[in-house]
Amino acid sequence: MQMRGVKAPDNDTWVEVTGVWQGHEGAAENPVPTMEVGALKPIGQPRNPSHDAPPTDG
């Protein structure tokens, strides 16, 4: 993903990003998802970092 509008965070940093989806750029066979970032806030590592879902306690 290409993110525009802010300086890239340091490596191995978890962040919360707020922005506007710009769609895909580049050739149709290799599109690059692009976002215009409005805010980028460093956060701690989530409890469930390998899942695309909210953490569960069960």
Side-chain angles (χ1 to χ4, degrees), residues 2-55:
Q2 181 175 354
M3 295 179 7
R4 298 181 179 160
V6 295
K7 181 180 176 254
D10 293 333
N11 290 338
D12 298 320
T13 302
W14 290 88
V15 293
E16 178 180 286
V17 179
T18 303
V20 177
W21 178 253
Q22 299 294 311
H24 292 85
E25 293 184 357
E29 63 273 0
N30 193 20
V32 177
T34 304
M35 174 183 269
E36 185 69 34
V37 177
L40 187 140
K41 178 176 85 171
I43 60 171
Q45 179 176 327
R47 288 186 288 157
N48 219 0
S50 297
H51 297 278
D52 191 15

